[in-house]
Amino acid sequence: MTYPNQKKVVIHREKFERDFLGISNDNWNAACRDLGAHAAILYLYFASNADNFNLALSPVAVENAIGMPRSTYYD
């Protein structure tokens, strides 16, 4: 159902065999709603790894991967 003030948008996505961020809509919506912007970005960084992946977390690794400055990481 659409309303007069809505615009219809068609999404075209690439198909991925790997490097695909699979997060349920409920989870990423909750992250965007409940976390601050920087925490939501970290959530996406964590979620981009496979289930049971052991991540060596450090401010330098986060900065290299997603460009988040150390001060923001510690905030």
Side-chain angles (χ1 to χ4, degrees), residues 51-73:
D51 188 32
N52 290 317
F53 180 76
N54 289 310
L55 179 66
L57 182 62
S58 73
V60 173
V62 171
E63 185 172 15
N64 289 339
I66 61 175
M68 180 177 285
R70 281 179 184 244
S71 59
T72 302
Y73 173 87

Side-chain angles (χ1 to χ4, degrees), residues 20-33:
F20 176 73
L21 183 61
I23 303 173
S24 74
N25 287 344
D26 288 342
N27 288 344
W28 72 261
N29 284 332
C32 290
R33 181 185 62 243

Side-chain angles (χ1 to χ4, degrees), residues 32-48:
C32 290
R33 181 185 62 243
D34 300 338
L35 300 174
H38 296 126
I41 291 168
L42 277 175
Y43 170 80
L44 292 174
Y45 173 67
F46 296 144
S48 69

